[in-house]
Amino acid sequence: MFPIVHKRQLSESVFEMGVEAPQIARKVRAGQFLMLRVAEGGERIPLTFSDWSVEEGWIRFIFMRVGKTTHLLSHMEPGEALADVVGPLGTPTHVEGLGRVAVVGGGVGTAVAYPVARAMLEAGNEVTVIVGARTKDLLILIDEFEEMPLKDLIVVTDDGSAGEKGLVTAPLARLCQAGAIDHAMAIGPAIMMKFCAQTAKEHGVPCMVSLNPIMVDGTGMCGACRVTVGGETKFGCVDGPDFDGHLVDFEELMSRQRVYSDMEREADAEYSKECRCHL
Amino acid sequence: MPPVDASGRRRPSRAPRTPMPERDPIERARDFEEVALGYSEEQALAEADRCLQCANPTCIAGCPVNIDIKSFIARILERDYAGGVAVIKERNALPAVCGRVCPQEEQCEAACVLARKGEPVAIGRLERFLGDFDLACDLEHRCQPEVGPDSGYKVAVIGSGPAGLACAGELRRFGHAVTVFESLHAPGGVLTYGIPEFRLPKTIVAAEIEALAMMGVELVTDAVIGATYTLDELMGEQGFDAVFIGVGAGLPVFLGVPGENLNGVYSANEFLTRVNLMRAYEFPKADTPVRRGRKVAVVGGGNVAMDAARTAKRLGAEQVFLVYRRSEEEMPARREEVHHAREEGIEFKMLCSPQEIVGKDGWVTGMVVTDMQLGEPDASGRRSPVCVVGSEHTIECDTVIVAVGTRANPLLTKATPGLEVSSRGYVLTDDEGATSLPGVFAGGDIVTGSATVILAMGAGKRAARAIDRYLRERG
């Protein structure tokens, strides 16, 4: 069992949770992920590490309440424990020798952008962070980013309720245009990563993306997470989660992410019948 | 007691092989309960009575772990079932598992003297009878191998599948402290995630693992060696004196045809893991979903393909096609499983090879296949299939399950510098399982590629003996 030691609500549907897992904490590097199971009979879901402490032996992740599993998770409190946490899995983000980087975090993907930006700074790169969300209330980790020695922090909201109004691709295009970055890294919804990669490509800037395909085991055993990259099939869990954004078949990724949408709705409906108060 | 002749010698029965009681195919194809029900005591006695008790029993050599088959059958004839269990457990800790899933027809039963003239003794079914007898006893009355005096050595076993479990049990008998590391949340490896409930109930696997725990084997789940801990750490700071790698060959092979990443295309590993380990057939009661296809095409001809096809049927498919590029004769699956699949309504499309998976709006709608002809035998001894020109046609389906084998999973080997692997990623060992790293042994599918439960167990046991020697010689 993995005791919960920290929980914080970051927005209406986004939560940060910390779990005691010293053996995992000592191994995590930015960009890696974990698989968790809330309780017996539960799904295994992948979530990316947002933070960790080797000394204190905890790991943290940020999740958005979308389906049954994340709903259950959102109702758990410190003192309770998760049935299973496995990790760290996946290949760490490449952070060495990138030069001037723009890290783009969209929505809950910002949770991953945070350790990635930190690791890039520690590796001696110059880092600009672009954080985007639909609206002001959905922005997360802004205070944390503000404390970092970033080159710049650019906040964007779809509705203009905070920062620039528009999409994250606009400031990314500006940075590319001005020749202010050598590399980009985008982490967020597939559609956002697709357009970030496209924007960077138009300006000849390399762009890594951190993909979030459906997974079951997370160790290469099932092949659920396969993505087409440069015409080849890759496994998101062991070959990734980071890939060259210019080569990823995003249409296929987005289609594969929807495989269980109808069944997830069914599970949610069942769950809400059992537990009206929570939904 | 069996009949005896005037001289007092037993006369073996000449009755035909005792059939295995099985559930009705129409009924069983709708649920996940076990298909084969096992012999009653009466049936077991009748079948045991067919054994000639040969002076020179050839069956034993046919068993990869050399169980003293003659003796355990003799114990059945004496109605000393506990004694029969003890005989098996000298060689095989998991009789209830092996009695169900071993390909006995190619091993012990193929070597039975009676096989020459007709039907061999149903050795596997008798093994299962004893295994089930043992599991039906209270834990304290089960046949427990004796644990040797504490040796002071600690051994880590990586992977809790058949190779790892067999190795762990044997090491414990030698008196070593054993910790088994499993990457999933539940132990058992392929016995848990791969083999369906209707062929191997999970309660049987759990009971066998419980017996190991009783012997003092420790089990750590959720530990991915190569990620959570490296092999170096196990042997360094964690103080293990030796390590056994039994991680299996868990990396699915795909066909390499266009359309393979369409929605509705599964690897058999994913499909079976969702259903067996995650119990997706109970969705939404269990949280993990799986698509319930209406028309399902399963590609492959091994036991895993049979398992996937029969599972798809149980999830409610109207039609399940089994697509195999050779003929039924070359299919590697057990005859019994092929027979079960056919009884349950699986449609066999033999000499048929997938060329492309086609779809609409991202979802599978069909599979383009061509007819094949058999040419000369290839390196594997099987006749190699050749495309019949112009025979392309499309099988309409909404789900495709690819069951054409697995490769070595590189997660552990890539994270272990100095561990020599073959060009295909399998761990290189000597005959006893020693790898290129001192104190590190390996066995099972990660060494041989996909094989059987009993071969993996044999490799695990052999390595355990080699580990024991290594530890004692090292002093």
Side-chain angles (χ1 to χ4, degrees):
Chain A
M1 297 294 269
F2 292 81
I4 297 168
V5 290
H6 164 88
K7 185 187 174 188
R8 178 162 71 121
Q9 187 157 9
L10 302 184
S11 75
E12 198 209 319
S13 57
V14 177
F15 297 80
E16 179 181 68
M17 190 170 267
V19 169
E20 189 184 311
Q23 69 287 4
I24 299 177
R26 28 197 298 261
K27 286 298 172 62
V28 185
R29 284 159 68 197
Q32 289 188 292
F33 68 93
L34 56 96
M35 300 291 303
L36 69 79
R37 215 168 57 118
V38 172
E40 208 49 50
E43 260 184 305
R44 295 170 65 94
I45 61 162
L47 290 169
T48 310
F49 294 97
S50 61
D51 205 356
W52 55 91
S53 165
V54 181
E55 296 75 30
E56 295 170 25
W58 50 256
I59 53 165
R60 283 181 189 176
F61 49 87
I62 288 174
F63 61 95
M64 190 191 289
R65 191 161 61 186
V66 281
K68 182 179 171 187
T69 302
T70 44
H71 259 101
L72 291 172
L73 199 55
S74 72
H75 295 303
M76 295 191 77
E77 299 294 337
E80 295 180 272
L82 302 180
D84 304 280
V85 179
V86 187
L89 300 169
T91 311
T93 298
H94 175 71
V95 295
E96 310 291 330
L98 297 172
R100 302 168 301 162
V101 199
V103 177
V104 187
V108 76
T110 307
V112 188
Y114 172 64
V116 165
R118 191 172 62 189
M120 284 178 173
L121 284 171
E122 281 165 9
N125 304 288
E126 177 193 289
V127 181
T128 299
V129 169
I130 303 172
V131 177
R134 252 188 2 259
T135 184
K136 181 171 181 256
D137 294 341
L138 298 175
L139 286 168
I140 57 171
L141 301 175
I142 299 301
D143 296 346
E144 284 80 351
F145 282 117
E146 276 173 350
E147 282 170 20
M148 281 185 183
L150 299 173
K151 165 86 171 158
D152 198 3
L153 173 65
I154 304 167
V155 174
V156 186
T157 49
D158 291 10
D159 62 0
S161 53
E164 283 181 44
K165 181 176 162 54
L167 301 172
V168 288
T169 43
L172 179 63
R174 276 201 316 270
L175 292 169
C176 291
Q177 188 94 49
I181 55 171
D182 308 309
H183 275 93
M185 165 109 205
I187 310 148
I191 188 82
M192 181 209 93
M193 292 192 281
K194 176 188 167 178
F195 283 106
C196 284
Q198 205 168 302
T199 303
K201 193 177 182 185
E202 281 161 18
H203 297 90
V205 173
C207 180
M208 294 296 288
V209 290
S210 174
L211 304 186
N212 50 347
I214 291 174
M215 294 181 189
V216 184
D217 66 294
T219 60
M221 195 266 278
C222 80
C225 62
R226 56 197 194 278
V227 288
T228 301
V229 181
E232 274 181 64
T233 294
K234 298 279 181 189
F235 287 0
C237 66
V238 284
D239 299 320
D242 295 354
F243 292 100
D244 181 341
H246 298 169
L247 301 178
V248 170
D249 183 341
F250 283 103
E251 299 307 318
E252 181 187 275
L253 172 72
M254 287 186 270
S255 172
R256 288 183 65 79
Q257 285 174 333
R258 287 192 295 267
V259 171
Y260 297 107
S261 318
D262 52 342
M263 298 183 82
E264 276 159 17
R265 276 193 293 278
E266 189 190 334
D268 283 349
E270 282 289 317
Y271 172 60
S272 62
K273 260 193 276 172
E274 284 166 29
C275 182
R276 284 172 204 290
C277 53
H278 287 156
L279 280 175
Chain B
M1 279 303 282
V4 290
D5 63 19
S7 67
R9 283 219 315 266
R10 167 181 166 262
R11 275 185 289 113
S13 150
R14 291 195 182 162
R17 190 169 152 111
T18 315
M20 183 62 137
E22 286 168 356
R23 294 172 60 217
D24 175 65
I26 294 170
E27 179 202 296
R28 75 187 190 223
R30 293 194 208 113
D31 65 41
F32 283 83
E33 303 295 310
E34 199 168 12
V35 166
L37 298 169
Y39 279 162
S40 63
E41 183 176 4
E42 202 179 19
Q43 288 165 326
L45 286 167
E47 186 58 24
D49 199 19
R50 296 181 64 237
C51 175
L52 304 179
Q53 291 288 308
C54 306
N56 178 23
T58 46
C59 51
I60 298 176
C63 170
V65 297
N66 304 122
I67 294 171
D68 188 349
I69 294 162
K70 179 182 165 178
S71 301
F72 88 66
I73 295 180
R75 297 289 177 283
I76 294 177
L77 286 168
E78 292 158 12
R79 301 185 189 225
D80 172 14
Y81 307 127
V85 175
V87 170
I88 300 180
K89 288 209 174 175
E90 282 169 21
R91 294 286 178 164
N92 175 8
L94 314 176
V97 172
C98 291
R100 284 172 170 79
V101 303
C102 269
Q104 294 103 6
E105 63 282 3
E106 295 168 15
Q107 298 173 345
C108 50
E109 293 178 12
C112 173
V113 169
L114 290 180
R116 281 186 229 151
K117 281 183 272 180
E119 299 178 308
V121 175
I123 298 167
R125 295 169 186 175
L126 292 175
E127 182 185 25
R128 169 178 165 168
F129 172 76
L130 290 176
D132 286 356
F133 169 87
D134 190 42
L135 290 182
C137 301
D138 298 334
L139 205 50
E140 66 263 33
H141 290 112
R142 281 193 212 151
C143 171
Q144 276 297 352
E146 271 187 46
V147 174
D150 188 2
S151 71
Y153 293 110
K154 269 175 73 179
V155 186
V157 170
I158 308 172
S160 66
L165 294 180
C167 187
E170 199 75 352
L171 286 165
R172 193 68 202 111
R173 282 172 51 162
F174 295 145
H176 307 306
V178 183
T179 306
V180 180
F181 293 93
E182 167 57 45
S183 67
L184 291 169
H185 57 264
V190 73
L191 305 175
T192 297
Y193 75 74
I195 303 178
E197 186 77 18
F198 57 82
R199 207 150 71 79
L200 178 65
K202 299 298 155 263
T203 48
I204 303 267
V205 181
E208 303 283 30
I209 291 164
E210 193 183 16
L212 283 177
M214 285 279 287
M215 286 170 72
V217 171
E218 282 203 43
L219 184 78
V220 180
T221 51
D222 294 328
V224 185
I225 308 303
T228 318
Y229 307 104
T230 62
L231 210 105
D232 271 359
E233 286 168 341
L234 292 182
M235 298 200 74
E237 58 204 66
Q238 296 220 16
F240 287 99
D241 301 292
V243 172
F244 173 74
I245 302 172
V247 295
L251 194 77
V253 172
F254 286 91
L255 298 164
V257 301
E260 208 155 29
N261 293 344
L262 284 164
N263 289 347
V265 183
Y266 283 106
S267 73
N269 262 9
E270 179 188 357
F271 183 71
L272 291 173
T273 299
R274 283 180 181 273
V275 178
N276 298 332
L277 175 72
M278 307 308 295
R279 309 187 79 84
Y281 61 92
E282 293 177 350
F283 181 88
K285 206 182 109 204
D287 292 342
T288 303
V290 69
R291 305 268 4 146
R292 292 173 179 255
R294 201 169 53 77
K295 288 186 181 211
V296 180
V298 178
V299 184
N303 288 323
V304 176
M306 297 300 146
D307 286 346
R310 297 169 70 196
T311 297
K313 190 81 182 178
R314 282 164 172 76
L315 289 173
E318 290 161 21
Q319 269 189 304
V320 182
F321 304 105
L322 193 103
V323 176
Y324 182 57
R325 63 198 194 118
R326 293 180 164 97
S327 72
E328 193 172 329
E329 211 168 295
E330 286 82 19
M331 272 199 317
R334 296 186 63 192
R335 295 299 103 182
E336 189 180 329
E337 303 311 332
V338 172
H339 172 69
H340 283 156
R342 189 165 266 140
E343 277 187 334
E344 289 165 13
I346 308 301
E347 296 171 45
F348 284 46
K349 287 188 179 290
M350 300 292 99
L351 289 165
C352 181
S353 179
Q355 303 300 322
E356 185 179 355
I357 298 165
V358 290
K360 188 165 173 280
D361 305 325
W363 287 86
V364 173
T365 56
M367 186 160 74
V368 180
V369 296
T370 53
D371 294 338
M372 308 297 278
Q373 268 173 350
L374 288 182
E376 292 303 305
D378 62 12
S380 71
R382 290 180 298 182
R383 295 170 67 193
S384 50
V386 188
C387 247
V388 176
V389 178
S391 64
E392 272 187 22
H393 57 284
T394 303
I395 297 172
E396 190 198 316
C397 57
D398 55 17
T399 304
V400 173
I401 302 167
V402 180
V404 296
T406 54
R407 290 181 292 136
N409 186 322
L411 198 151
L412 169 67
T413 51
K414 267 169 67 181
T416 311
L419 183 67
E420 281 180 24
V421 297
S422 74
S423 58
R424 301 180 69 193
Y426 295 104
V427 176
L428 295 173
T429 68
D430 68 9
D431 290 345
E432 301 188 312
T435 69
S436 55
L437 291 173
V440 178
F441 296 74
D445 287 5
I446 190 60
V447 172
T448 57
S450 306
T452 62
V453 167
I454 191 72
L455 285 170
M457 290 179 64
K461 287 188 59 162
R462 248 190 328 279
R465 288 195 286 271
I467 290 169
D468 183 59
R469 259 196 317 280
Y470 165 82
L471 292 172
R472 295 187 195 277
E473 277 166 18
R474 205 188 53 163

